[in-house]
Amino acid sequence: YIDEDSFKALLEQLVDGTKSSERPRYKCGEEIALFLVVSAMTGVRPMEWLGARLHETYFDYDTKLTLGPVLEVETLKQSRRREDNPLKAKRYLVLDEWPEAQLNRLRVMLDVVAEILADEGEPGFKRYLKRNRQQLRRAWDRLAAARGIDQGNLDKSIVEPDDPEAPSKWVTFYTARHIFAEEIRRSRLFTRFELAAMMGHSLLSNQAYYGPRDKTLPRGFDFVLPRPWPGDAEDLKQWNYT
């Protein structure tokens, strides 16, 4: 998790030009900035954007509810799950309180992903992520050096695996997911089970990797949060207690 001021400074670094010319310093800086912003607003894992879909309205046969707009996300990391695990293969983030500006950023993000998939398929998207991770790291290193941020004694030859369990003081695409989790906590609008439903977790123990988890602090960002599909959090709550 990083605060909004540092986040904005990183975004500015990504879209800024060089001093010697007006050309962008980072080839995909604007797309990386968009990726970070939209991921922070939704908590979607980097590879989950492959299966993400925006529905202006969505009808759920189980609850018989029609809501919208709704972001459909195919939840990853479901291997070795128990047969009675209530976490669904897809989760649905309800965006009915989102302003049009946030929805437009999401639409542009989905268009970018769709274009990459149409041209290069899933392998191309993985290459796209790898290239942009490297550019993001360079942008963060430059900002950290300018601000005197201690990044610790880390081996920078290691490619960030986009795993929340991997300790790192670098900003990565997963940083956006940490921002999302912390903003949900600080809002005090949702239960732990609602947070789990929106992040694609079945066990509350998974939330231990997302910090600093200080509910006494005010929200650090001003974007409007989504909400989980009604009923999903209750299913997770009952299963965890059982």
Side-chain angles (χ1 to χ4, degrees):
Y1 181 84
I2 61 175
D3 59 50
E4 187 175 31
D5 288 342
S6 298
F7 192 69
K8 286 182 176 178
L10 176 60
L11 299 180
E12 291 172 0
Q13 177 73 231
L14 286 165
V15 301
D16 193 21
T18 62
K19 290 184 179 180
S20 58
S21 71
E22 295 183 357
R23 296 172 60 184
R25 187 184 301 277
Y26 304 98
K27 182 179 179 181
C28 296
E30 290 188 357
E31 290 185 10
I32 297 171
L34 176 68
F35 202 110
L36 288 170
V37 168
V38 179
S39 296
M41 295 190 302
T42 60
V44 175
R45 297 178 177 95
M47 284 300 295
E48 286 179 337
W49 285 111
L50 283 171
R53 303 287 184 272
L54 179 63
H55 303 279
E56 296 303 322
T57 60
Y58 179 79
F59 173 75
D60 178 62
Y61 287 94
D62 293 332
T63 60
K64 302 298 188 292
L65 291 174
T66 300
L67 299 172
V70 170
L71 179 63
E72 173 187 308
V73 183
E74 294 183 10
T75 299
L76 298 181
K77 297 197 173 184
Q78 296 206 60
S79 61
R80 296 181 297 177
R81 58 179 293 174
R82 286 171 37 167
E83 292 184 1
D84 62 340
N85 191 320
L87 186 65
K88 299 177 181 177
K90 296 181 179 180
R91 63 187 188 275
Y92 297 89
L93 303 178
V94 183
L95 313 178
D96 52 0
E97 297 181 358
W98 274 31
E100 195 64 22
Q102 279 190 211
L103 288 170
N104 284 337
R105 292 190 185 101
L106 173 58
R107 292 185 182 108
V108 174
M109 172 74 183
L110 293 173
D111 286 344
V112 170
V113 175
E115 184 176 345
I116 296 168
L117 288 176
D119 292 342
E120 305 179 65
E122 183 175 332
F125 184 72
K126 291 180 178 179
R127 292 192 296 270
Y128 173 83
L129 283 181
K130 183 176 181 179
R131 290 194 305 269
N132 287 353
R133 282 193 201 105
Q134 294 169 348
Q135 291 187 51
L136 174 57
R137 177 163 298 172
R138 288 200 298 270
W140 175 248
D141 283 344
R142 185 179 180 85
L143 179 63
R147 293 193 165 198
I149 298 173
D150 179 19
Q151 300 196 72
N153 298 318
L154 298 170
D155 182 358
K156 296 188 179 183
S157 66
I158 298 175
V159 176
E160 169 59 48
D162 272 340
D163 187 335
E165 299 179 36
S168 174
K169 292 184 180 180
W170 296 312
V171 168
T172 71
F173 287 133
Y174 238 99
T175 300
R177 189 164 155 86
H178 284 260
I179 289 173
F180 177 80
E182 182 66 9
E183 290 300 296
I184 291 290
R185 289 192 183 98
R186 293 189 186 189
S187 74
R188 294 185 284 277
L189 297 174
F190 303 97
T191 67
R192 295 179 299 162
F193 301 100
E194 288 173 318
L195 171 58
M198 286 190 281
M199 295 193 72
H201 288 161
S202 54
L203 293 171
L204 294 185
S205 57
N206 291 333
Q207 295 179 17
Y209 297 115
Y210 296 85
R213 297 171 292 158
D214 191 341
K215 293 183 179 180
T216 64
L217 295 173
R219 284 196 57 193
F221 292 74
D222 60 3
F223 57 79
V224 177
L225 297 166
R227 59 190 181 95
W229 190 269
D232 287 355
E234 286 72 17
D235 292 342
L236 290 173
K237 179 178 180 179
Q238 182 61 42
W239 186 74
N240 271 265
Y241 284 165
T242 301

